[in-house]
Every structure is written in C-alpha cells, then in structure tokens.
C-alpha cells in the first residue's frame, strides 16, 4: 500500500534524520561507557567493577541472539498455512 | 456478612449475571464489579481465614496472607483496566467469561487447600478457553480446543496429586510441597503446565495470539501468574526451578526475534518473563521471593499494556503481522506513546516499574553466585529489550511506512492504556508503593548509581546492536511464516503418526486376512464339512427321530447304570 501522496512529510520520514538519531545513539552509548570510569561500581562479581562490562555484554549478546535466531529460522521456518494443510 | 463472601466471588457471580443486565446498564455493571470486588478484598485483614468441613475433609476456602494479597490486588487492578479496555465490545460471551475468569483466578489465589484450588483452577481453564473461542475463527476454534485439553490436563495432575497427598498425610492444606513424593511431583507438573515450563509451554504461543483483541489482554494476566503464585506457595526454594526458569528466560527470545505475528512475539516474551519469576521462586530467599512477586505484579501491568497496544493495532488495522505493519505512529500517536512506556517498563529502563522489580531477582541470583543463571538472566534482560522493547514498537509503529492509515484507538482503549502506563511509571518512580505490598519487608535501593548505570549501559548497547543490525541489513526481515515449536509434536507429528498408524494397521489386517484365506482355505473347508451349515451336526432333525434317539440314549444309560450296580 502507498501512503497518501497529499500527506505532510514527518520529521522521521527524512532518512537524514534517522541517521541523526542513530549517531545520537552511538554518542550516548560512548558517553555511558565514559561515565563508567567515573561511577563507583557495586557488584557481586569482579567483572562488574569494570567500566564497560554491561555495554560489551549487552552488545555482544544481542548480536549473538540475532545471528543464532537467523540460523534457527532456516531450520524452523515453514509456510504460514503449514498447520492448516 | 460481607466478609463471608470469598474474594473473587463478586466478579464470578457478577460475570454469570452479565446476560441478565440490560445493555445500556452493562458498562456500569462491568466497571462496578472489579471495583466492588477489590474494595471487598481490602476489607479483609491479613491472616483472615475461613475453614469448612466437607464429607469429613478439612478445607480452607479462604486464606488471606502476605503472599496471596499482592496477587489479589494486582488481579483486581488488571481486571479493572482490561474491562475499561474492552468496554466498546458488545459480546456477552467475552464480557461474561472474562469476569468469571478473573473471579476464578482471584478466588484460586486465596484458596487455602488443594481441593478448593483445583475447583477454581479448572474454572479458570474453562472460562479462559471461552475467550479463545470468542474470536470465532476456525484457527481460534482449533487452538482453543488444544488449549482447553492442556489446561484441563493441568488440573487433572493437580487433582491426582491432591488426592495422593490427602491419602498420604490426611491433609489437603496448600502448604509447601515436596518433589520427593509422587503427590508433590504431580502437583508440580500441574503447576508447571500452567506456568509454561519448557516443552510444556507451547499452548501460550499457540492459543493467546488467536483470541480477540481484548480477550488476549485478559488471558495474558491471570493463568500464568496464578501458576507463579502456586509455585511460590508450594515450591519456594526448589533448586530445580532455577534451571527451569533460566531456560525459560532464554529460549523464547530466539523465537521472538524471528516471529512475525507481534502478539505471538509477546506470548514468547511472556514465557521469558515467567522465567525470571520461576528463578526467583527457585532461590526461595526472602529477597528472591519478593522479587518474584514484585515482578509478577509489574509484569501484569506492562505486559498487559503491550498486549493492549497490539490489540488496538489489530482492532484498527485488522492485523498484527510485522510484515504488514509499519509507520503507524502517524495514525495512532497515543497508542504508540503508551506502547513505548510498556516497552520501556518490560525492558527495565529507570523510572518505570521493571527497573525496580527485576533487580531483586538478579541480586538474589548473584548473592548465591549462581554464575550460569546470572549470565543467562542478564542475557535475557538484554534480549527482552531487543524483542519486546524495540521490536514490538519498531515494527508496528515505525520501520518502513507500510502505507496503512487508520483511526486512533477508541477512547476507552486509550484510557486503559494510559492508566496502565501511569501505574507503571508511578511504581517506577515510587517503588515503596509496591515494596510495601510484598510478602517480606523490602529495603532494596534500586536507584543506586551503579545499578542505574549498569542497566542503562546494558540497554543502550543492546539498542545499538539492534540499530546496527537493522541498518546493515543483517537483521532478519519480518516475513509471513510459522516457526516450528513444541506444539509441532501434537499438531503435526502426532496426527500424522496416528493417521499412518491406522493405515498401517488396516494394511496389516488386510494382509493377514489374505494369508489366512489362502493357507487356511482347505482346513476351513474340512471344518465346514464337519460342523458347517451343511454338516451332519448342523442338520435339522424331525422331532420323532429326536425322540427315538433320546429313548435310545436313555435305555443305554439305564443299562450301564444297572450293569454297574449289579456287578
């Protein structure tokens, strides 16, 4: 379906703005790791004391999650009417 | 007098009476029931009990204590919000069964013995199945039947365990049970089915997404959280639950990433969420149990909110498939905003209620130095944000513009979503509101700087991973598909093997019969000559001949008789 052509353009419709958000996100992420050097860490495990453990773990685990899920799809995916046949 | 009404019964009876209420008065009736029932519950003091004796069995139909009360409170809150959300519906089946379902779930939470629990347990099964059937589609009908069979089976295990327990100990009291006995194991299995333990879980993602836009909101609240309550009551501190819970947090998120139906994504996320609670129950310390209860309380609110948002999308556009949606923020800005609050809450962002409840469980895990469980739960926390926190709002409301234009959700839906979002934020800002309700005193300080930083780092970098994967085209596209899960065994393998088995059996019977005909034909012929219809044995005799023979045998008998005594 095509969006109505007489509709006003939204701020998010401009790809440049989406890129802007992306860059802001990258910036925020870096700042958060920077803050990690300043804040005293409390944790139960030694690796929680490091400045960016949660950053690394969050990023790596999500990429791994998506890559494994993509692989699983090759095995698990069936047509939408699979059970109706 | 008022106190003698068991909690939940106002909802239960009120739900049954719905068809008798004139249509114009019905909205008032529907709204009044959860409010009246909730107010009634709050008049009952902690420690309130009702005992009864039935056929010589001691029962405790009502028990209000620190563990049952928070569930009772949140069930009422959820019932009220869901009723507001469904107020535009004009379907007696849904309105009635939703209230009976809510009432049965409340009553079950306050049941002090296993028999009373069983009765309400099965009532929730039947009433909730009606909500699945209410969609009135062929898919919903078959999913509802599968759902009903599984739910009733769960009750059957509970009953079998209860009877054995009574036989063994002479008591039906619902107190901590042991996995060391058959009775305890059967009850555990009954609870486990309703709590969506791995491999027993597939009814959640099979049935919930097939219900109506409003029905799924009710469904997402009660059944599974009732099971969490029951596990916390019966099996707190059972180490097996830590392993089960950890698996529950992890495996559904892989499915959630590749699932196209956004309500099914939420169903998977529901299992993941239950996993956190199950881990807390497995640890069983005061903090861990507080965490499990607090998380159940918060989950009812934010998971309900997410199901409401997707229900609103379904109601307005007729679909919740990621592959057909996108750009809806232009048409449904309020729904988008409320959905984002729910997404932030389930992900555990600061200032929303997930942030102040989940760390109780994670801290309890770390306290015990359960390394694998800890890594699994932190992984799952990042994963929740990925599929429920980002994927749901992103593919429905943003992503590429699908061109779908619709009206904003009806006012009552917006009101319910807005109120849910407000409660999520209120509890997030003032955790004391919730901590005061928990079974044990709680002094946790969620807003310690290190915790705030750790959680924000985790979430922002998980978000960055999503953004990077989507922009680089690695992220799997939303495509119309079905992904095989445990229900494949009974929806595909079982029917096919039964069909194949029946065919094989008929084949075998045919070949045996053919063999018999060939080999045994001569024998059969001989037998037929001897005793068949034309044989001497089967021939009919004239009466006179028969009499002659009888006389002959009688004479023979007499002869033998006399000879014997003469000699």
């Amino acid at each position: 379906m095509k969006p109505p052509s007489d509709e006003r353009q939204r701020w998010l419709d401009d790809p440049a703005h989406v890129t802007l958000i992306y860059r802001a996100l990258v910036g925020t992420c870096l700042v958060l790791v920077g803050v990690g050097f300043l804040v005293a860490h409390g944790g139960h495990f030694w690796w929680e004391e490091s400045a960016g453990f949660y950053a690394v773990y969050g990023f790596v685990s999500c990429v791994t999650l998506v890559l494994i899920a993509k692989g699983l799809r090759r095995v698990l995916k069936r047509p939408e009417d699979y059970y109706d046949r | 007098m008022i106190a003698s009404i068991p909690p939940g019964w106002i909802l239960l009876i009120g739900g049954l009476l719905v068809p008798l209420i004139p249509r114009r008065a019905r909205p008032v009736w529907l709204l009044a029931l959860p409010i009246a029932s909730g107010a009634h519950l709050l008049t009952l003091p902690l420690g309130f009990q009702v005992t009864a004796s039935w056929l010589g069995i001691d029962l405790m139909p009502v028990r209000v204590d620190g563990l049952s009360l928070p569930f009772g409170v949140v069930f009422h809150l959820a019932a009220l919000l869901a009723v507001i959300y469904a107020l535009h519906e004009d379907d007696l089946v849904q309105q009635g069964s939703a209230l009976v379902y809510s009432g049965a779930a409340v009553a079950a939470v306050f049941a002090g013995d296993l028999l009373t629990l069983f009765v309400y347990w099965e009532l929730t099964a039947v009433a909730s199945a009606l909500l699945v059937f209410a969609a009135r589609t062929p898919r919903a009908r078959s999913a509802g039947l599968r759902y009903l069979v599984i739910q009733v089976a769960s009750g059957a295990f509970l009953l079998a365990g209860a009877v054995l327990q009574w036989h063994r100990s002479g008591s039906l009291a619902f107190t901590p049970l042991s996995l060391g006995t058959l009775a305890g194991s059967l009850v555990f299995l009954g609870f486990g089915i309703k709590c969506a333990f791995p491999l027993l879980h597939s009814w959640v993602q099979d049935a919930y997404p097939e219900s109506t836009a409003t029905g799924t909101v009710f469904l997402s609240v009660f059944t599974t959280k009732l099971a969490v309550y029951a596990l916390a009551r019966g099996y707190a501190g059972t180490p097996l639950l830590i392993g089960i819970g950890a698996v529950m947090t992890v495996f559904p998120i892989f499915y959630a990433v590749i699932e196209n139906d956004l309500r099914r994504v939420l169903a998977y996320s529901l299992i993941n969420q239950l996993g956190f609670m199950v881990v807390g129950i497995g640890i069983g310390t005061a903090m861990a149990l507080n965490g499990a209860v607090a998380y159940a309380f918060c989950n009812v609110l934010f998971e309900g909110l997410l199901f409401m948002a997707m229900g609103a999308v379904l109601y307005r556009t007729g679909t919740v498939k990621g592959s057909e949606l996108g750009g809806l923020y232009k048409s449904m800005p309020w729904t988008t905003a409320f959905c984002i609050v729910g997404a932030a809450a389930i992900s555990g962002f600061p200032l929303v209620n997930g942030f102040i409840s989940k760390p109780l469980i994670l801290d309890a895990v770390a306290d015990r130095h359960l390394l694998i469980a800890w890594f699994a739960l932190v992984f799952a926390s990042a994963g929740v944000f990925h599929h429920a926190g980002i994927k749901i709002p992103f593919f429905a409301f943003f992503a590429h513009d699908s061109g779908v234009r619709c009206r904003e959700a009806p006012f009552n839906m917006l009101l319910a979503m807005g109120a849910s979002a407000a409660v999520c934020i209120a509890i997030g800002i003032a955790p004391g509101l919730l901590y005061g309700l928990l079974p044990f005193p709680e002094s946790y300080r969620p807003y310690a700087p290190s915790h705030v930083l750790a959680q924000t780092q985790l979430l922002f970098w998980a978000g960055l991973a999503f953004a990077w994967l989507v922009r680089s085209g690695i992220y799997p596209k939303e495509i119309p598909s079905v992904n095989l899960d445990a229900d494949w065994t009974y929806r595909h393998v079982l029917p096919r093997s039964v069909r194949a088995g029946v065919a094989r059996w008929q084949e075998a019977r045919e070949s045996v019969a053919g063999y018999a005909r060939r080999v045994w034909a001569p024998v059969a012929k001989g037998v037929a000559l001897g005793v068949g219809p034309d044989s001497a044995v089967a021939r009919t005799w004239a009466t006179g001949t028969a009499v002659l023979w009888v006389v002959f045998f009688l004479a023979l008998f007499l002869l033998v008789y006399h000879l014997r005594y003469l000699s």
Side-chain angles (χ1 to χ4, degrees):
Chain A
M1 221 188 297
K2 281 256 170 287
S5 51
D6 55 340
E7 206 177 60
R8 76 185 162 92
Q9 279 281 305
R10 303 293 187 110
W11 190 80
L12 268 179
D13 286 334
D14 185 347
H17 291 156
V18 177
T19 308
L20 193 68
I21 293 178
Y22 180 64
R23 287 192 183 143
L25 177 63
V26 175
T28 315
C29 284
L30 293 174
V31 168
L32 281 172
V33 174
V35 175
F37 286 100
L38 306 174
V39 173
H41 292 269
H44 294 78
F45 303 109
W46 57 264
W47 51 84
E48 288 185 88
E49 309 287 329
S50 64
F53 164 74
Y54 280 97
V56 174
Y57 194 70
F59 189 85
V60 171
S61 60
C62 278
V63 173
T64 318
L65 163 67
V66 169
L67 294 182
I68 294 179
K70 242 183 133 168
L72 276 179
R73 189 178 241 182
R74 290 164 164 232
V75 185
L76 300 174
K77 190 169 76 96
R78 294 291 182 277
E80 215 171 14
D81 62 346
Y82 178 72
Y83 287 119
D84 304 327
R85 281 186 262 170
Chain B
M1 169 60 207
I2 295 252
S4 62
I5 308 171
W9 273 64
I10 296 179
L11 288 167
L12 227 163
I13 302 292
L16 290 173
L17 293 179
V18 164
L20 304 179
I21 307 298
R23 175 174 288 184
R24 294 185 60 187
R26 217 177 286 147
V28 181
W29 179 256
L30 295 174
L31 285 172
L33 289 174
I35 294 172
S37 179
H40 164 245
L41 173 63
L42 294 180
T43 62
L44 302 178
L46 274 182
F48 178 80
Q49 293 181 344
V50 175
T51 51
S53 186
W54 181 69
L55 299 180
I57 307 171
D58 290 322
L59 300 177
M60 189 191 284
V62 181
R63 167 181 56 192
V64 182
D65 66 8
L67 184 58
S68 49
L69 189 64
F71 284 92
V73 169
V74 79
F75 279 4
H76 278 100
L77 193 56
L80 178 63
L81 291 167
V83 161
I84 297 174
Y85 181 78
L87 220 50
H88 64 279
E89 287 267 9
D90 189 22
D91 178 4
L92 282 175
V93 175
Q94 283 191 69
Q95 290 166 331
S97 56
L99 285 170
V100 172
Y101 175 39
S102 319
V106 169
V109 158
F110 292 103
D113 67 86
L114 291 169
L115 190 63
T116 310
L117 178 70
F118 163 77
V119 172
Y120 295 130
W121 193 265
E122 291 292 44
L123 190 54
T124 60
V126 175
S128 59
L130 285 176
L131 285 176
V132 181
F133 290 128
R136 296 178 175 88
T137 60
R139 266 168 176 261
R141 196 163 47 236
S142 49
L145 277 175
R146 289 191 292 274
Y147 172 83
L148 188 59
V149 168
I150 293 171
Q151 295 294 309
V152 170
S154 150
F157 281 114
L158 169 57
L159 181 63
V163 170
L164 276 179
Q165 174 76 7
W166 183 64
H167 183 71
R168 215 173 58 87
S169 67
S171 161
L172 273 173
F174 185 19
T175 46
L177 298 159
S178 158
L179 276 183
T181 63
L182 179 61
S185 306
L186 286 171
V187 174
F188 186 76
L189 194 57
F191 291 173
I193 293 174
K194 269 211 196 286
C195 198
F197 282 2
L199 301 181
L200 307 175
H201 68 277
S202 44
W203 59 269
V204 177
Q205 50 84 14
D206 180 18
Y208 282 6
E210 301 300 340
S211 179
T212 59
T214 54
T216 308
V217 175
F218 281 98
L219 289 171
S220 75
V221 172
F222 298 106
T223 299
T224 47
K225 257 62 81 187
L226 170 59
V228 165
Y229 159 79
L231 281 173
R233 170 77 68 190
Y235 299 93
T238 304
L240 177 63
L241 286 174
I242 302 174
I244 292 177
V247 172
M248 286 170 74
T249 59
V250 172
F251 91 87
I253 57 183
F254 293 100
Y255 275 98
V257 168
I258 50 176
E259 178 58 54
N260 185 35
D261 182 318
L262 296 180
R263 289 202 300 171
R264 193 155 275 131
V265 172
L266 287 178
Y268 277 116
S269 100
L270 181 59
I271 301 172
N272 149 286
Q273 296 286 298
L274 293 168
F276 284 96
M277 301 166 212
V278 171
V279 168
I281 295 167
I283 293 172
T285 57
M287 186 192 211
L289 283 177
N290 269 353
V293 174
Y295 205 50
F297 194 102
C298 295
N299 174 269
V300 164
L301 295 163
F302 55 63
E303 192 98 46
L305 172 53
L306 289 171
F307 270 111
M308 284 182 192
M310 290 305 105
V313 169
L314 175 66
Y315 181 71
R316 281 304 192 211
T317 68
T319 180
V320 271
K321 298 209 170 113
S323 53
E324 294 166 22
L325 294 171
L328 275 182
Y329 77 94
K330 297 174 183 174
S331 306
M332 308 177 83
W334 285 104
T335 306
T336 309
F338 296 140
C339 181
I340 289 174
V341 174
I346 198 173
S347 315
F349 270 97
L351 305 180
V352 217
N353 59 1
F355 181 78
I356 61 106
S357 47
K358 200 195 285 176
L360 295 175
I361 299 171
L362 273 164
D363 260 37
V365 172
D367 267 341
R368 282 279 185 92
H369 276 78
L370 301 166
L371 215 55
I372 299 174
W374 188 82
F375 274 108
L377 261 55
V378 179
F379 171 75
S381 302
V384 174
F385 179 45
H386 211 90
H387 73 260
I390 310 181
K391 175 170 172 165
I392 292 288
F394 182 74
F395 283 107
F397 301 112
F398 301 98
H400 68 285
D401 193 336
S402 60
V404 174
R405 293 292 179 271
C406 63
R407 286 165 60 205
E408 177 59 280
F411 177 73
N412 63 304
M413 281 188 167
L414 290 179
L415 187 65
M417 287 189 272
S420 303
V423 179
C424 286
I425 293 171
I427 294 176
I429 292 173
L433 290 175
L434 176 59
Y435 290 173
L437 251 180
L438 298 179
F440 303 99
E442 186 56 67
S443 57
Y444 184 73
R445 286 177 49 247
Y447 287 101
S450 60
H451 175 230
V452 176
L453 179 71
Q455 188 67 6
T456 8
Q457 265 193 4
L458 182 78
L459 294 177
F460 269 84
W461 281 81
L464 182 64
F466 181 87
W468 174 66
L469 289 166
V470 167
R471 283 175 75 86
S472 59
I474 299 171
Y475 196 86
K477 287 200 168 40
E478 295 295 289
I479 36 181
S481 62
V482 162
N483 297 308
L484 302 185
D485 195 347
D487 53 343
W488 180 66
T489 49
Y490 56 80
R491 293 175 71 184
H492 186 85
V493 179
L494 187 64
R496 282 191 184 221
S497 7
V498 168
R499 240 174 281 150
V502 169
R504 208 52 67 68
W505 164 248
Q506 274 166 348
E507 237 169 62
R509 217 177 49 177
E510 273 308 303
S511 72
V512 168
Y515 176 76
R517 271 196 294 275
R518 264 180 289 116
V519 173
W520 288 94
V523 181
K525 214 171 187 177
V527 172
L529 273 180
V531 295
D534 299 326
S535 64
V537 180
R539 214 170 295 152
T540 47
W541 301 77
T543 318
T545 330
V547 171
L548 196 65
W549 277 108
V550 169
V551 172
F552 171 74
F553 277 114
L554 186 61
L556 194 65
F557 171 74
L558 287 172
L559 187 64
V560 171
Y561 185 81
H562 284 293
L563 283 177
R564 197 172 153 204
Y565 280 87
L566 285 175
S567 54

